[in-house]
Each structure stands twice: as C-alpha cells, then as structure tokens.
C-alpha cells in the first residue's frame, strides 16, 4: 500500500544543496588572501603594518589577512575624502546619479559572488545573503540614485555635510554598508567607512566595484580595522558627520566623545523588539512570523522579535506549534541552500549568547531547544532557543541577546500587551499579529518603536525609513528622512558665532538672587501642570530692566522643580493623541490673546531689553505671526504612504517625540521663546521650558495668555532660574525624550550632548552659533517640525491568498 502524503513528508530527508564557494575563494586568491585599505581609489597597506585574520565561523578556516587601521590610515583616508568632496558635491546631480546607478547595476551583476563571500565571512545562510541582503543593497543604490537626481528640487536650502565617517556592525555587513554609503553619496558627501572586524570582505569587493564604476578617487574610502579604528574615525576633526550602527554601549560612548565637536550624529543601535500575538491571530502565520522574526540571521538582527508576547487564551497552543516548528528548523552549513540557520558570526558571540541563556535558566526560565541534537557541534552553531516562564524583570527579558533566543511572556488585555511591549529601554521595531485590523491599527501607534509590522515581520525597503526610538538610537536610514540625515541647512554656514556678537552679555548683570519671597509676593512663579507654582527652594531672582532698575522677580527653580515639571509633562500625554485641529485652534487662540495684549508686551520688551518701540512692535508682530505659522502646520505636517515593492503599504506616521526640554536664548526673548515652543506643541509634544535667564518676565507674562487660551495643563511648563543648572537637570533626566538648547556659549551645547547619554535623548544644540529669529529661513518651518517628531513606519499587508510576500 502506498504511503500517505503526510507520512512521506514526515520521512522525507533533505538532500544536500551546496552552493559552490569556488569563485569566492578564487577572488580571495586574486588578492593573495590579503585585504588592504581602499583609500583614494587604490588599495593600500596599513601604515603601521598591523593586520588581523578574518575567519569563516562555520568552519574555523582562515579566509584572509586584513589591514587594521590606525590613526595614520584614518588620516590619509580623511585627507583623500576631503580633497574629493567639493568636486563631488559640485558635480551635476545627474552625473552623481549615474555613479550610484552604476553601483546598483554592478551589485546586481556580482550578486552571487557578493552573497557567497558574505556567507563565508559571516556564517549566515546563502539563502538570506542571496535573497535578501544583496538585493536590498542594490535596491538601496537604485533608490538613492533617484534622490541624487532630484536633490535640488526635493531638498532646497540643504547641502552636504562634507566628509562623513561611518562605522558598521557585522550582522548585515554588505547591507549596512549600502544603507550608509548610498544616501551619503546621493547627498554629495564623501565617505570614510569602517566595516566590522569579523566581516571585512564584502566591503573590499565593493571597493573593487567602485573602481569598475570609475568612481572618482577619494569619494569612498574603506579603512578596515577594529574598535580602535572606529574610534579614530569618530574622533577625527576632519569629519563633519558620524553615522554609526552597532551596540547601544558603543553608541553611547560615541555620543559622549563627540559631544561639543559640532559633528552631526546618527545612531542606529540595539533592540529588544516585541512580537505580539493576539487571540484572533492566524496562528500558523504567526508561527512563521516568529520564525522569521527571531531565527532569521541566527537572531543576530537589531530588530529581531526577541520578546514574544502571547495572549493567554492561545499561549499554550502557540507554544506547542512553535516547538514543533523549531524541531524542523535546519541548522548547518550556511552554504547549503536548504538551511534555515547558519553559524553565529564568531566564537565570542556564541559564548555571549550561551552565557545569557544559562543566566536566564538560573533566573527561572524554562529552556526549550527541540532541535539541539541536530545542531552541528563543530563551528559556531547555536540551536533555535525559546525561554518560557520569563519574568519582565529578568535579565533575558531586558538585555539584547543578539542570537537565536526568544523569550515568551503572556498578557491578558490589549492594554497589558502595550505595557509589556513598551517596557523596554529600546524602541526599534515591533510586530503585531491579529486578524482584527481595528485592533492592530489601534495598537500600532501606541508602541514605542520606529517600525511596526502588522501580520508580518522583518520587512525592509529603501523608501521606508528605518531606525529607533529611545535607546535604539536616533536618525533614520532610508526614504526622505534618511536623506535628511546626510544634509544640513545651508544657512548654518553663515551664522555668526556669539563670540563675535554683542548679544553675549552676562546674565548676572540682569539677575540678582534674593532670599525668601518677601511679604507681598509679586514674584512671577514657575508654571507647572497648568498652575503657577512656588519654587521648591523658596528663593527668587530679581530681574533688572535695561536701565539696571528692578523690573520684577521670578522664582529660582531648582532640580526638584524641573523634576516636578517633567512629571507634569509626562502626565499630560493625552496631548500627543489630541486632534491636530485642536492643536491648531489652541495655537491660533494664543496668537489672538497675545495680539489683544500686544501693547503690554511691547512695553515689557522695550523696558527690559532696551529695544526701540518700533523694534518691540516688530518682535511682538512676528511672534503672533509665528504662532499662526505653527497653527497652520499643526494639521498639515502629516505622514506619508510608501509603496514598497511588495504587497504592503507602509504608513509613515509623524509622532510627537514626547517630553521635550527647551532652553531658550536671551536674544529676542519673546520671539525666540515662541519660535521654540510653538512647533513642539503643534506636533503634540509636552514641553519643559527654561526661558531666557536675563529676560524671563516675557515668558512668565505669557502664563495668563496660556490660561485663557485653553492650553491644557502640563503641555507647557516653565521653570525660571539659572539656565546652566536647570539645563543639566533636564539633560540628565531619563523621562525627557529630547532637549533643544539655544545659548550663547558652546560649553552649554557640549554639556547637553554629554549629559544626555543616560537615555540617549535626541538633542538639538546651536553650538554657540547665533541665529536670526526674524529670518524665517532660519527660525521657522520644517526643520523645527522635524526635530519635534519621530517617524514610525507601520507596514500593513494587503491582498488575500498569499499575502504580502518579499519582493526581492
Ligand atoms: P559594536 O560592538 O557596537 O560594533 C559596531 C561597530 O563599531 C564595529 O565596526 C566595531 O568595530 C565598531 N566599534 C567598536 N568599538 C568602537 C568604538 N569605541 N568607537 C567606534 N567604533 C567602535 O556592535 P556589534 O557587536 O558589531 O553589532 C551588534 C549590535 O549592532 C547590536 O546591538 C545590534 O542591535 C546593532 N545593530 C543595529 C542595527 C540598527 S539599524 N539599529 C543594525 C545592525 C546591528 P569591531 O567590530 O571591529 O570591533
């Protein structure tokens, strides 16, 4: 009797399906198994003759000897990039486009060699390098060839940074390199890039493709090396912008060491992304989602779905299905085309993962490794692993394991799912499984993550920005937002430094400390949670007018007041969900009420700052106008819909950053205050504002206007006092999500960048440059709105039957 089909499936064995490594090994032979740096269009040996070996982690075989860059190598790469930059930027956009297009074509032509070389160097399955990494990299160059072509019309008023330093990790070496290089070149920058020590080879092959494409010498420079080489790049004074992808620890270090250097910085860091499966999910699809989410690339994926959150009713069923599926996952030679999981990138990584898993078990987790016996014992192979009964506070549910390990927790209600999902210091990605579209679309905006996949996972496209919230870093790669990361406003080059301007006068001349609040309290208090609040320290400061006479007193806020203000702001999170129409109405209302009291404000400005009545009128008028501008933007700066080449729409939502600290400058104290709080408020943020230290009365005079303009309590909190002390508290506060700093000193900018590393808050500092608050190119518009928002891409599949598949 013939066997049933189901039985055949049970007994069928996979035959071997090896990909040949011949061409890749021949390529290494052509290079005498020695890879130097690629600087100024040529291969060069390291100045200090320092080398390291790169190893195939699946076999332990040495693949090549690779140059290890030192300061001298980085210097010569930066020199080459600097001399190539002006010409590259000045080149006709269409010509730059043609180079990017040529690189995309060359990647496609060499796709197999690239895929095999990547697999040999990294240990990841050929199935993934061939079908995902290399194709997505080519797509990235095509997409950015397009941005280069239309750069002038799409980014007017913006220009390249200059020389960009880029440091990438080993998990998607070729793809991460493409994500970095393509937008940098499209925007007119030149590049010094360091691949990871474990995976130097595909970057070297790419250098060869650059030569073949005839790319001008110095436009791309690849300096191989280790962490110390990376540090040389990030610290180099000739580099104007750093783009880093890697661990949160190193990202934090880079933020600290580049603080105050005026270098622009984007960080793409780690993650601990949740996969949320609701009771009404298609469980079989969800199982495949988990497989793709955590076992793709051996789990060495920044956005890996490493925390599985299951609704209680289906938890047992789902775990049972997963166990069965895990048994069928094939771990083995990454060059075998029928392998699901290859080798980890290094022995070091193996040990790190194993140690964390053992710790998880020690902390009470149940270890599930159904395929353990089939996992090769030689080479860096780790079986697909699931940890059950994990507590939210255990190490394995908090730290990024960066390996094929998923932790499992259960939840009862959608609210609980959101709470658990957001209970992480990271915020890179999330995946939601539910057949109820209303539920899925309700949950997506509530998750703190830069990317949310509905009924899918690990979808990427060059047109859809990718990047994180919180300690997953700042900045996006891909799409329009990714291009902005490689551009800066052109006006910045013309801003004078405060050093050369009259505006830098000591605040002390205008401010005097007074103990106690006096018998008749005429002191303007702080403004916290929509109410006037006495300063915690019961001290006040006397504010002098332009003639040196006492103009009034303000509360001297301290750390505790900042903490109270942040708490009030945090509680007012409903503002971020409020209708955009409402935000517009309130901003118009503030403008209307300011207009009604314009004379009073004009007088105050003249008295305090000594400006003429005409100048005071101009400032009040411009402030009213600016409020209208942001009232106008409030319901217009909305998102985009992307159409990646698969059956998805990716909805790019612009969300408020959250609680935003704002430190205002002294000049034009009314206008600069309005110019900063209005865009933040229009985009749904809650603010804690430190107004001008010299002229705080302009801000405190606004309390009544806020009260009569229906501003909900907690949206605008104002703490007067000594700016340096208050700023530091804001920068160090973990519940402040972003901090804008405008001041007359560079030390303040440096301090803000350095002190903000605790929770890796987004910072926007003026580096001691003075902008003209009347110049609308500098003082209002999209730049402000961009700093006031995060972009979240929500991927929504459509179509019945096969569903949204990968298009590459
Ligand atoms: P890291 O150890 O941070 O290394 C990343 C890169 O930085 C490597 O090239 C490394 O060089 C270099 N580096 C090390 N120390 C440095 C220093 N002090 N200054 C400058 N550069 C330094 O991360 P990893 O272990 O390679 O990669 C894994 C991490 O990357 C994970 O946390 C993962 O989540 C994250 N990741 C994030 C993303 C996105 S898009 N968010 C994508 C992929 C990976 P060597 O390797 O040669 O030491």
């Amino acid at each position: 009797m013939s066997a049933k089909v189901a039985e055949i499936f049970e007994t069928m064995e996979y035959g071997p399906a090896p990909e040949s490594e011949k061409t890749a090994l021949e390529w290494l032979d052509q290079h005498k198994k020695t890879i130097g740096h690629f600087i100024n269009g040529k291969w060069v040996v390291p100045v200090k003759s320092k080398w390291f070996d790169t190893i195939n982690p699946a076999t332990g075989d040495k693949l090549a000897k690779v140059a290890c860059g030192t300061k001298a190598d980085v210097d010569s790469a930066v020199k080459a990039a600097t001399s190539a930059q002006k010409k590259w930027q000045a080149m006709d956009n269409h010509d730059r486009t043609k180079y990017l297009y040529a690189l995309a074509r060359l990647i496609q032509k060499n796709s197999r060699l690239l895929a095999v070389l990547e697999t040999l160097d990294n240990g990841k399955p050929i199935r993934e390098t061939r079908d995902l990494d290399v194709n997505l990299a080519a797509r990235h160059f095509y997409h950015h060839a397009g941005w280069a072509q239309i750069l002038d019309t799409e980014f007017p008023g913006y220009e390249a940074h200059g020389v960009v330093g880029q440091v990438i990790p080993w998990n998607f070496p070729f793809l991460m390199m493409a994500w970095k290089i393509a937008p940098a070149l499209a925007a007119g920058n030149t590049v010094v890039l360091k691949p990871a020590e474990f995976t130097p080879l595909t970057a070297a092959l790419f250098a060869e493709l650059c030569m073949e494409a005839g790319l001008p010498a110095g436009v791309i420079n690849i300096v191989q090396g280790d962490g110390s080489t990376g540090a040389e790049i990030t610290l180099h004074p000739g580099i104007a912008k750093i783009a880093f992808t890697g661990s949160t620890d190193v990202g934090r270090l880079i933020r600290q060491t580049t603080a105050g250097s005026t270098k622009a910085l984007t960080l793409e860091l780690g993650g601990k992304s949740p996969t949320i499966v609701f009771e009404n999910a298609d469980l079989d699809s969800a199982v495949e989602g988990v497989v793709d989410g955590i076992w793709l690339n051996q789990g060495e994926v920044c956005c890996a779905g490493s925390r599985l959150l299951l609704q209680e009713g289906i938890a047992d069923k789902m775990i049972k299905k997963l166990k069965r599926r895990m048994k069928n996952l094939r771990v083995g030679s990454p060059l075998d085309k029928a392998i699901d999981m290859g080798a980890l990138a290094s022995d070091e990584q193996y040990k790190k993962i194993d140690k964390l898993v053992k710790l998880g078990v020690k902390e009470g987790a149940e270890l599930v490794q159904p395929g353990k016996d089939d996992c090769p014992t030689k080479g860096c192979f780790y079986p697909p692993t699931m940890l059950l009964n994990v507590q939210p506070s255990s190490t394995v549910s908090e730290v990024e394991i960066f390996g094929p390990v998923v932790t499992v927790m259960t939840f009862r209600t959608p609210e609980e799912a959101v709470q658990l999902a957001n209970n992480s210091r990271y915020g890179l990605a999330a995946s939601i499984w539910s057949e109820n579209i209303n539920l899925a679309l309700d949950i997506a905006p509530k998750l703190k993550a830069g990317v949310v996949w509905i009924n899918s996972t690990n979808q990427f496209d060059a047109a859809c920005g990718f990047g994180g919230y919180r300690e997953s870093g700042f900045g996006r790669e891909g799409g329009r937002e990714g291009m902005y990361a490689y551009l800066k406003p052109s006006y910045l080059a013309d801003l004078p430094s405060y050093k050369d301007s009259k505006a830098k006068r000591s605040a002390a001349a205008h401010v005097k400390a007074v103990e106690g609040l006096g018998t008749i309290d005429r002191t303007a208090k702080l403004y916290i949670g929509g109410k006037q609040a006495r300063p915690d320290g019961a001290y006040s400061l006397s504010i002098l007018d332009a003639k040196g006479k006492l103009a009034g007193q303000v509360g001297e806020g301290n750390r505790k007041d900042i903490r109270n203000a942040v708490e009030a702001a945090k509680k007012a999170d409903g503002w971020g969900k409020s209708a955009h129409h409402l935000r517009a109405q309130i901003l118009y209302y503030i403008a209307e009420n300011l207009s009604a009291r314009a004379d009073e404000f004009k007088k105050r400005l003249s008295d305090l700052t000594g400006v003429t009545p005409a100048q005071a009128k101009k400032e009040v008028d411009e402030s009213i106008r600016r409020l209208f501008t942001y009232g106008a933007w409030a319901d217009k700066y909305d998102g985009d819909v992307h159409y990646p080449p698969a059956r998805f729409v990716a909805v790019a939502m612009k969300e408020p950053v959250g609680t935003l600290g704002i430190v205002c400058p002294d000049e034009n104290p009314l206008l600069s205050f309005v110019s900063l709080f209005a865009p933040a408020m229009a985009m749904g943020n809650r603010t804690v504002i430190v107004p001008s230290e010299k002229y705080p009365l302009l801000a405190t005079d606004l309390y009544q206007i806020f009260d009569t303009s229906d501003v909900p309590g907690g949206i605008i909190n104002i703490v007067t006092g000594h700016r340096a002390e208050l700023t530091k508290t804001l920068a160090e506060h973990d519940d402040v999500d972003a901090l804008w700093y405008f001041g007359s000193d560079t030390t303040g900018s440096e301090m803000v960048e350095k002190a903000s590393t605790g929770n890796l808050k987004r910072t926007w500092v003026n580096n001691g440059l003075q902008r003209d608050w009347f110049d609308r190119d500098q003082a209002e518009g999209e730049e402000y709105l961009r700093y006031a928002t995060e972009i979240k891409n929500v991927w929504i599949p459509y179509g019945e039957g096969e569903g949204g598949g990968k298009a590459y």
Side-chain angles (χ1 to χ4, degrees):
M1 206 173 83
S2 61
K4 289 198 180 125
V5 175
E7 286 166 7
I8 294 174
F9 272 127
E10 285 300 319
T11 53
M12 246 187 351
E13 277 299 321
Y14 283 90
E19 172 78 26
S20 168
E21 59 188 8
K22 188 166 164 278
T23 315
L25 295 182
E26 280 170 5
W27 181 83
L28 285 171
D29 286 339
Q30 280 161 23
H31 286 261
K32 302 195 173 58
K33 293 197 167 73
T34 303
I35 302 294
H37 304 308
F38 179 70
I39 295 176
N40 208 16
K42 296 191 289 281
W43 292 112
V44 295
V45 291
V47 174
K48 290 214 165 146
S49 195
K50 220 176 136 195
W51 301 87
F52 63 89
D53 291 341
T54 186
I55 307 289
N56 177 345
T59 60
D61 297 341
K62 173 177 162 181
L63 292 166
K65 169 175 115 170
V66 182
C68 186
T70 56
K71 183 171 184 309
D73 301 308
V74 173
D75 279 345
S76 84
V78 174
K79 198 168 156 217
T82 307
S83 48
Q85 200 271 327
K86 290 269 170 307
K87 213 165 154 197
W88 176 250
Q89 185 177 351
M91 186 182 279
D92 182 78
N93 283 339
H94 178 57
D95 290 335
R96 223 170 34 249
T97 298
K98 284 191 283 187
Y99 283 114
L100 283 152
Y101 184 76
L103 288 170
R105 301 287 291 173
L106 282 165
I107 291 170
Q108 282 186 314
K109 272 196 238 170
N110 291 275
S111 60
R112 204 64 169 210
L113 175 56
L114 281 162
V116 176
L117 200 60
E118 190 85 307
T119 288
L120 288 176
D121 208 15
N122 170 280
K124 59 167 69 189
I126 184 73
R127 209 159 54 95
E128 288 171 15
T129 51
R130 184 195 59 192
D131 298 346
L132 191 77
D133 300 34
V134 178
N135 298 335
L136 271 172
R139 158 93 181 119
H140 226 71
F141 275 95
Y142 280 124
H143 178 78
H144 286 91
W147 281 125
Q149 177 80 16
I150 56 177
L151 192 72
D152 290 346
T153 53
E154 293 306 299
F155 300 96
Y158 280 80
E159 62 187 38
H161 284 281
V163 178
V164 171
Q166 305 181 319
V167 180
I168 56 172
W170 43 258
N171 60 340
F172 288 88
F174 190 65
L175 183 57
M176 290 299 107
M177 190 197 65
W179 279 20
K180 292 264 176 292
I181 287 182
L185 296 197
N189 302 280
T190 53
V191 165
V192 175
L193 176 136
K194 187 197 89 69
E197 191 182 355
F198 293 146
T199 52
L201 296 183
T202 43
L205 174 51
F206 179 72
E208 229 167 57
L209 301 185
C210 292
M211 291 195 224
E212 202 177 326
L215 198 72
V219 169
I220 290 178
N221 303 276
I222 291 170
V223 182
Q224 302 281 4
D226 58 16
S228 67
T229 320
E232 291 295 349
I233 292 176
T234 58
L235 295 175
H236 201 289
I239 288 178
K241 188 226 151 78
I242 300 293
F244 171 81
T245 298
S247 60
T248 292
D249 286 347
V250 175
R252 189 174 272 125
L253 184 74
I254 292 174
R255 169 69 293 178
Q256 264 160 5
T257 53
T258 57
S261 67
T262 76
K263 285 187 175 80
L265 178 65
T266 41
L267 298 174
E268 300 288 350
L269 308 175
K272 189 77 181 171
S273 301
T275 299
I276 308 170
V277 184
F278 286 100
E279 278 170 0
N280 48 23
D282 170 352
L283 293 193
D284 290 320
S285 298
V287 167
E288 292 313 309
V290 175
V291 168
D292 196 28
I294 187 63
W295 293 306
L296 176 92
N297 204 37
Q298 301 71 245
E300 296 165 329
V301 182
C302 51
C303 52
S306 51
R307 285 187 298 145
L308 179 58
L309 309 180
L310 301 174
Q311 197 159 16
E312 270 185 8
I314 46 93
D316 289 345
K317 200 168 165 191
M318 184 74 187
I319 289 167
K320 214 162 132 197
K321 280 177 182 281
L322 267 171
K323 284 182 180 168
R324 200 164 58 221
R325 184 68 177 89
M326 285 168 81
K327 218 170 157 31
N328 294 332
L329 282 172
R330 301 187 72 229
V331 185
S333 166
L335 280 174
D336 187 329
K337 283 172 262 187
I339 277 296
D340 296 303
M341 268 174 50
L344 298 173
S346 69
D347 198 34
E348 216 170 85
Q349 188 61 12
Y350 182 101
K351 286 184 188 133
K352 191 183 135 204
I353 294 166
D354 200 42
K355 194 168 157 200
L356 278 167
V357 168
K358 288 189 172 122
L359 181 64
V361 173
K362 207 167 144 206
E363 288 181 347
E366 180 192 333
L367 178 67
V368 181
Q369 288 179 327
K372 189 165 185 267
D373 294 343
D374 300 325
C375 187
T377 46
K378 238 185 105 213
C380 307
F381 295 95
Y382 204 89
T385 300
M386 182 157 67
L387 292 173
L388 301 174
N389 304 329
V390 169
Q391 297 306 312
S393 58
S394 69
T395 312
V396 285
S397 56
E398 281 180 4
V399 306
E400 184 186 36
I401 299 176
F402 216 57
V405 183
V406 66
T407 61
V408 184
M409 274 183 255
T410 58
F411 64 89
R412 282 185 206 146
T413 61
E415 292 71 37
E416 212 178 295
V418 171
Q419 253 176 26
L420 272 178
N422 288 339
N423 183 26
S424 166
R425 59 197 178 101
Y426 297 110
L428 193 51
S431 140
I432 303 169
W433 293 83
S434 168
E435 290 299 292
N436 177 350
I437 189 73
N438 295 338
L439 176 66
L441 290 178
D442 181 43
I443 298 296
K446 293 179 179 163
L447 299 177
K448 293 276 175 219
V451 187
V452 178
W453 296 292
I454 293 178
N455 291 330
S456 54
T457 188
N458 278 340
Q459 299 293 324
F460 310 98
D461 183 56
C464 308
F466 183 87
Y469 284 44
R470 298 174 164 175
E471 291 183 38
S472 290
F474 36 80
R476 295 287 182 271
E477 296 194 303
R480 184 182 290 273
E481 55 268 40
M483 280 299 290
Y484 275 118
Y486 286 96
L487 292 162
K488 62 175 184 191
S490 304
Y491 73 77
L492 283 178
D494 301 324
L495 293 189
S497 111
Y498 276 93
K499 271 204 305 255
D500 313 321
S501 100
K502 281 190 276 174
K504 192 180 176 184
R505 281 192 284 146
S506 151
H510 276 254
V511 178
K512 253 171 86 185
V514 176
E515 198 168 333
L517 289 172
T519 40
I520 306 169
D521 183 6
R522 286 180 56 243
T523 304
K525 299 190 185 72
L526 314 180
Y527 191 64
I528 295 178
K531 294 195 185 68
Q532 299 200 28
R534 283 170 191 277
D536 167 73
Y539 279 97
S540 56
L541 296 170
S542 291
I543 304 299
L544 307 184
D545 68 14
K547 295 187 178 131
K549 294 214 180 91
L550 186 70
Q553 293 182 344
V554 293
E556 184 183 349
N558 63 16
R559 300 174 77 83
K560 179 98 186 299
D561 298 308
I562 290 282
R563 285 201 287 267
N564 291 342
V566 172
E567 195 55 39
K570 208 174 150 194
K571 279 198 199 127
D573 67 341
W575 182 245
K577 296 166 207 145
S578 62
H580 295 223
H581 170 72
L582 175 76
R583 296 179 201 163
Q585 290 306 108
I586 292 178
L587 280 155
Y588 291 139
Y589 204 4
I590 298 172
E592 192 185 304
N593 283 324
L594 179 58
S595 170
R597 292 174 54 184
D599 288 343
E600 197 186 308
F601 275 85
K602 283 182 226 163
K603 182 161 181 337
R604 193 61 135 169
L605 270 171
S606 289
D607 290 349
L608 286 174
T609 66
V611 292
T612 63
Q615 285 168 323
K617 177 178 184 318
K618 192 175 159 210
E619 181 161 348
V620 174
D621 288 350
E622 188 66 19
S623 301
I624 294 167
R625 185 189 169 111
R626 196 138 295 162
L627 285 161
F628 264 82
T629 297
Y630 289 109
W633 273 117
D635 61 356
K636 292 170 193 66
Y637 191 65
D638 43 20
D640 293 301
V641 177
H642 300 302
Y643 302 100
R647 285 163 64 176
F648 282 92
V649 282
V651 179
M653 299 167 69
K654 287 183 176 138
E655 298 190 337
V657 181
T659 298
L660 225 157
I662 298 177
V663 184
C664 301
D666 286 331
E667 70 275 11
N668 308 120
L670 178 66
L671 180 58
S672 57
F673 182 93
V674 168
S675 302
L676 292 167
F677 95 78
M681 185 175 163
M683 292 299 103
N685 298 284
R686 298 90 71 183
T687 55
V688 176
I689 311 176
V690 178
S692 154
E693 182 171 337
K694 272 205 257 182
Y695 310 117
L697 295 172
L698 265 325
T700 59
D701 285 355
L702 283 167
Y703 296 171
Q704 282 172 351
I705 289 187
F706 294 146
D707 288 343
T708 51
S709 307
D710 294 345
V711 176
I715 307 308
I716 302 175
N717 302 279
I718 298 173
V719 181
T720 51
H722 296 296
R723 60 186 273 132
E725 181 194 339
L726 301 178
T727 304
K728 186 146 188 288
T729 310
L730 273 174
E732 287 170 350
H733 201 303
D734 280 353
D735 283 332
V736 175
D737 301 297
L739 182 53
W740 298 357
Y741 180 85
F742 290 82
S744 57
D745 52 328
T746 41
T747 49
S749 296
E750 179 176 351
M751 183 269 283
V752 164
E753 289 183 337
K754 210 169 248 169
S756 66
T757 48
N759 67 341
L760 278 173
K761 57 177 67 65
R762 284 125 190 77
T763 54
W764 184 23
V765 300
N766 71 330
N767 290 313
L769 298 178
Q770 185 176 7
R771 58 186 67 205
D772 176 354
W773 297 99
F774 286 99
D775 181 338
R776 291 177 200 139
D777 285 344
Q778 301 176 19
E780 68 175 32
E782 229 195 312
E783 186 189 7
Y784 291 73
L785 299 168
R786 244 180 311 113
Y787 278 107
T789 45
E790 291 270 19
I791 297 187
K792 171 187 279 175
N793 270 283
V794 180
W795 289 66
I796 307 165
Y798 61 85
E800 299 232 305
E802 290 168 16
K806 289 208 163 67
Y808 305 102

